[in-house]
Amino acid sequence: MSIIRVNNLYKIFGKEPRRVFPLLEKKYGKEQILQKTGCTIGIHNASFEIKKREIFVLMGLSGSGKSTVIRCLNRLIEPTRGEILIDGRNIMTMNKQELLKLRRGKLSMVFQHFGLFPHRSVIRNVEYGLEISGMPSQQRRERAATALELVGLKGYENSLPSELSGGMQQRVGLARALANDPEVLLMDEAFSALDPLIRTRMQDELLELQARLHKTIVFITHDLDEALKLGDRIAIMKDGAVVQIGTPEEILTQPADDYVKRFVQNVDRSRVITASSVMRRVRTIMLPKDGPHVAVRVMEKLGISTIFAVDSERRLLGMVSVDAALEQERVGQNDLRSVLTTDVYVAAPETPIGDLLAVAVNARYPLAIQDAQGRLLGVLDRTTILAEMVTGGEASAATPLADVQSADLLNPESEKGARG
Amino acid sequence: MNIPRIPVGKGFEVLIQWLTDHLSVVFDGIDQVVLSILGGLKFALLLPHPLLLIALFTALAWWMAQRGVALFTGCGMLLIYNMGYWTATMETLSLVLAAVLIALLVGIPLGICTAKSDRAERVIRPMLDFMQTLPAFVYLIPAVLFFKLGPVPGVIATLIFSLPPVVRLTGLGIRQVPPEIREAAVSFGSSPRQLLLKAELPMAMPTIMAGVNQTIMLALSMVVISGMIGAGGLGNEVLKGITQLRIDVGFEAGISIVILAIFLDRVTQQLGKPRRRKNSTGRE
């Protein structure tokens, strides 16, 4: 399923990259290595794989090595060490001809500042890739026109790039990449130079295009919101190394380390975290099997006053309060279905929690999360929603008193020993 | 203070002598090539009736620059014709064109080399500095030794004098191509040749053309100086004016040179600017 595999990739910039590896093994820091060898580390042991037809986002701050990684994928930059497999073929061992063929057929790139040829008209920009691979002019013009239509630029064929706005120029860049009909699109901060409104629109259009074309897209960005919106999976890079790979939700809910945690702190979590990832499982009673006795026992044991009732397929029927159950028990009525409350709000598991907040604040009971078949998956309390939206379930500025006290007792030596 | 004088001049003389003795075949070959280029150009410029050619130049000025330049060209050239310097002016023009033609054939590839290789840049740049700063008269001497008197040493001296700008500006133009555009071209699978021909050269063209303009102007000034070694043309007339103290001849020849210079400058200046009049999609 994976179309690209990167194994233990290194890129060292400088005159004597070989001298760096022994130092890396000794765990020397970046600055020390720069001082000793004059080399900087672009990529530090990066490994990941990209699946067919997914949008794989490489995210990191500037200098984290993400642009270097994407340029290694088509060998615009020669990696120092490691392996890059595309469709199972190691591109590091390819000769010049094979490499040209790879770039012409399989991979196309979209650039941050568009990289359009200013002396060529829009259509001649779009057909560039086809032109250099020797396609006859009639045929390539047709394919370029199709690609332009795909990005909504029909009618601008004969304009010069300088006559177009930034957003339109990047559409040309995208059309140029699509004209080759590549399997993989490499997008290097493709929308970062656009202003926010245009940017959002381009993101939406890219997603629409992707739904139709099913390319494999490697997207580079320094913007977490963009990464979360576009990425099927996200790899977070820091100092040339991949720190974490996961779905947007995994990144937000299970940050691998403090770096990622700090990174995701400022994101608009309410738009990204979905009900399913923060809901909790809940004890239910099954009707008509369970009668008032069972219901009262369970509620007493759990110390709650209402309980969710489902049928034998786990479809949500409603809620039973402890008062109603006791009343039924008193009158000797065994079927609880007549006293069900349906005053419960339900939501789908993929709903962002931000959309649930307004309802949750007013609802008397936790929100029930059910799938398309109506089966109860879990419930969501409004306190959970609030907590998730603010900090990801953890207070950041305030520390529990107990932790502060125990931290004082820790001596520094033992901490160091634990790390080494 | 008994340091012996270093015989710089003598050394150079020996070198030149050695070159003339041993490489005369090469120089004879160059001589023949330059002569035939020159002959062809001169023939082409002197064959049509002057008035026809004046009309042609005026039309060229109109097409390349504006109406004012065309008007100036027409009137100025008619004046040259009227004063009787037409043949001399055309001789000068053919010397300029020959020198520039060779300068471009040599200079543009050299410029590409300096852009592609830092080592070539390090070697070629000081040579260009040397060529540009050495007084023009000084390399008239070896030119005469290699090629005797006449138009060929004139062309060679002119060539050397006017070569640097086109080399420098070609190199500069290519180095100035934004890295992202180079990356874009390469990422789509351009071979080094395609990168050069389809991306770098077209983008460097305005700068290269500025170099061509400079080269032409330098060539014109040098061609006049090489009248001293019998290159012919307007330079001869100027020399006649100086040596025989004939103010009229000197002034008229001078005016003719100025008119030719302005014409060449205005017309070739336009080469560097993007021509938006033309349909940009029409070209292949």
Side-chain angles (χ1 to χ4, degrees):
Chain A
M1 271 309 280
S2 74
I3 182 165
I4 299 177
R5 250 199 102 87
V6 173
N7 293 328
N8 308 95
L9 192 69
Y10 284 91
K11 174 67 193 180
I12 315 284
F13 293 104
K15 283 197 171 144
E16 294 169 288
R18 282 168 187 286
R19 281 180 56 197
V20 173
F21 289 107
L23 298 182
L24 276 177
E25 268 164 36
K26 285 186 211 150
K27 304 233 182 281
Y28 275 60
K30 218 175 160 173
E31 283 76 22
Q32 280 173 296
I33 289 178
L34 178 65
Q35 228 171 39
K36 286 204 155 143
T37 64
C39 292
T40 41
I41 298 160
I43 307 170
H44 184 187
N45 197 11
S47 297
F48 55 86
E49 64 184 304
I50 298 170
K51 294 177 194 150
K52 257 195 173 117
R53 300 180 168 187
E54 76 171 340
I55 300 185
F56 185 83
V57 175
L58 271 166
M59 198 200 64
L61 300 175
S62 54
S64 62
K66 54 194 192 306
S67 287
T68 312
V69 169
I70 205 172
R71 279 167 176 71
C72 284
L73 296 182
N74 58 5
R75 276 177 61 188
L76 279 182
I77 291 178
E78 288 292 338
T80 311
R81 190 186 269 190
E83 206 180 34
I84 299 173
L85 301 170
I86 294 183
D87 272 342
R89 283 214 51 193
N90 189 355
I91 67 161
M92 306 279 288
T93 59
M94 283 185 172
N95 62 29
K96 279 181 188 162
Q97 278 310 313
E98 291 171 314
L99 192 60
L100 285 191
K101 215 175 136 208
L102 177 86
R103 288 175 180 159
R104 285 173 183 174
K106 209 154 222 148
L107 309 160
S108 286
M109 198 156 174
V110 182
F111 293 86
Q112 178 172 10
H113 300 291
F114 322 136
L116 300 178
F117 305 113
H119 59 284
R120 288 173 159 245
S121 64
V122 165
I123 188 106
R124 294 195 64 233
N125 260 288
V126 175
E127 68 181 25
Y128 183 81
L130 303 171
E131 183 183 323
I132 57 172
S133 55
M135 183 182 280
S137 99
Q138 183 66 36
Q139 199 181 343
R140 69 180 190 235
R141 194 137 294 196
E142 276 165 26
R143 277 183 58 178
T146 315
L148 267 183
E149 210 177 328
L150 212 56
V151 299
L153 276 187
K154 202 182 155 121
Y156 289 93
E157 287 84 355
N158 297 327
S159 310
L160 283 178
S162 56
E163 294 163 351
L164 305 181
S165 68
M168 286 161 91
Q169 288 189 37
Q170 193 55 300
R171 281 163 208 261
V172 177
L174 191 56
R176 181 175 62 178
L178 289 172
N180 285 22
D181 196 24
E183 281 174 54
V184 182
L185 278 179
L186 304 173
M187 304 184 72
D188 180 20
E189 300 244 18
F191 303 148
S192 299
L194 305 174
D195 55 54
L197 277 178
I198 306 288
R199 192 170 175 180
T200 312
R201 226 172 74 201
M202 292 293 286
Q203 291 164 352
D204 293 336
E205 283 178 29
L206 181 68
L207 289 173
E208 273 169 43
L209 268 177
Q210 172 65 354
R212 270 194 287 165
L213 301 175
H214 305 296
K215 301 283 180 196
T216 305
I217 299 177
V218 185
F219 196 100
I220 297 245
T221 182
H222 61 260
D223 175 6
L224 184 63
D225 287 315
E226 188 168 67
L228 296 169
K229 178 172 177 181
L230 296 177
D232 293 316
R233 289 191 309 137
I234 299 171
I236 294 186
M237 292 194 64
K238 181 199 171 195
D239 292 340
V242 176
V243 186
Q244 186 176 10
I245 303 179
T247 63
E249 296 230 9
E250 283 165 7
I251 299 278
L252 284 185
T253 53
Q254 303 150 35
D257 61 11
D258 284 344
Y259 179 76
V260 182
K261 207 178 277 178
R262 250 179 297 139
F263 220 107
V264 300
Q265 233 163 34
N266 298 322
V267 78
D268 183 1
R269 307 174 59 89
S270 69
R271 308 294 336 146
V272 184
I273 297 185
T274 58
S276 62
S277 65
V278 291
M279 68 189 182
R280 63 182 167 87
R281 304 196 140 272
V282 71
R283 180 77 165 87
T284 56
I285 52 169
M286 194 185 288
L287 301 184
K289 182 175 67 89
D290 297 332
H293 300 287
V294 176
V296 170
R297 264 251 318 269
V298 171
M299 282 188 268
E300 271 177 351
K301 212 175 126 197
L302 295 175
I304 53 179
S305 59
T306 49
I307 193 162
F308 284 92
V310 295
D311 67 9
S312 57
E313 308 277 324
R314 273 197 77 74
R315 281 192 293 254
L316 180 64
L317 298 171
M319 295 196 72
V320 178
S321 68
V322 70
D323 298 335
L326 284 170
E327 179 66 19
Q328 290 295 87
E329 197 176 10
R330 196 177 59 79
V331 299
Q333 174 61 259
N334 264 344
D335 195 350
L336 284 171
R337 280 181 289 189
S338 55
V339 295
L340 278 174
T341 332
T342 48
D343 185 19
V344 182
Y345 289 94
V346 295
E350 62 273 11
T351 320
I353 55 173
D355 292 351
L356 298 174
L357 187 60
V359 179
V361 168
N362 294 317
R364 294 176 54 200
Y365 309 112
L367 301 179
I369 309 302
Q370 58 178 1
D371 64 13
Q373 283 75 45
R375 284 190 293 262
L376 181 69
L377 300 172
V379 302
L380 196 53
D381 309 292
R382 65 182 149 203
T383 48
T384 313
I385 295 179
L386 285 171
E388 282 299 334
M389 280 173 62
V390 185
T391 61
E394 256 180 81
S396 52
T399 317
L401 182 60
D403 287 1
V404 178
Q405 287 166 340
S406 62
D408 284 343
L409 302 174
L410 267 180
N411 78 48
E413 260 75 45
S414 72
E415 204 179 14
K416 230 182 247 166
R419 216 179 281 158
Chain B
M1 291 306 250
N2 218 353
I3 304 165
R5 185 177 179 280
I6 303 168
V8 176
K10 268 277 178 270
F12 187 64
E13 199 186 317
V14 170
L15 175 72
I16 296 294
Q17 193 56 50
W18 188 87
L19 286 174
T20 30
D21 288 350
H22 293 84
L23 293 178
S24 59
V25 187
V26 179
F27 292 126
D28 285 348
I30 296 174
D31 191 61
Q32 287 305 312
V33 172
V34 174
L35 259 187
S36 52
I37 294 175
L38 208 52
L41 283 167
K42 215 157 121 183
F43 179 74
L45 287 171
L46 289 175
L47 181 67
H49 191 273
L51 288 176
L52 179 67
L53 215 52
I54 290 172
L56 222 67
F57 284 147
T58 308
L60 182 70
W62 188 307
W63 184 62
M64 293 294 291
Q66 310 94 5
R67 205 167 40 185
V69 178
L71 197 70
F72 173 84
T73 305
C75 296
M77 295 216 168
L78 282 173
L79 180 66
I80 294 175
Y81 180 46
N82 175 266
M83 291 186 300
Y85 289 103
W86 184 256
T87 310
T89 306
M90 287 306 105
E91 271 176 22
T92 296
L93 185 59
S94 58
L95 286 167
V96 168
L97 291 179
V100 168
L101 192 74
I102 302 170
L104 298 190
L105 284 178
V106 176
I108 291 179
L110 264 183
I112 294 171
C113 283
T114 62
K116 292 285 172 184
S117 140
D118 287 337
R119 192 181 295 170
E121 162 98 355
R122 274 200 300 276
V123 174
I124 291 173
R125 174 172 259 170
M127 289 167 66
L128 296 180
D129 293 339
F130 185 78
M131 283 157 71
Q132 265 186 317
T133 45
L134 200 68
F137 298 97
V138 174
Y139 37 74
L140 287 179
I141 307 162
V144 170
L145 289 177
F146 292 148
F147 299 104
K148 315 289 177 305
L149 289 178
V152 175
V155 169
I156 299 297
T158 305
L159 165 67
I160 296 170
F161 186 67
S162 62
L163 189 62
V166 73
V167 179
R168 277 189 213 277
L169 287 167
T170 301
L172 179 71
I174 292 176
R175 278 179 190 263
Q176 271 177 344
V177 172
E180 215 186 34
I181 288 185
R182 196 171 282 131
E183 272 190 334
V186 173
S187 78
F188 281 97
S190 307
S191 62
R193 219 178 93 102
Q194 286 170 326
L195 172 67
L196 182 70
L197 293 180
K198 288 179 186 287
E200 290 175 329
L201 278 183
M203 287 198 64
M205 212 34 101
T207 315
I208 296 177
M209 283 307 167
V212 172
N213 172 268
Q214 287 295 302
T215 290
I216 290 176
M217 298 319 288
L218 284 183
L220 182 60
S221 68
M222 188 63 199
V223 156
V224 174
I225 292 171
S226 60
M228 285 171 62
I229 52 172
L234 290 169
N236 260 11
E237 304 298 316
V238 174
L239 200 65
K240 202 191 289 173
I242 297 170
T243 50
Q244 302 173 5
L245 279 180
R246 291 188 53 187
I247 298 173
D248 55 336
V249 174
F251 186 70
E252 283 173 357
I255 290 271
S256 303
I257 291 167
V258 169
I259 291 168
L260 186 62
I262 291 177
F263 165 71
L264 285 175
D265 180 55
R266 294 301 183 273
V267 167
T268 55
Q269 240 177 32
Q270 299 304 315
L271 289 173
K273 295 176 183 155
R275 270 161 293 167
R276 278 304 287 144
R277 280 184 235 167
K278 279 194 187 172
N279 186 356
S280 57
T281 58
R283 287 173 297 134
E284 260 305 302

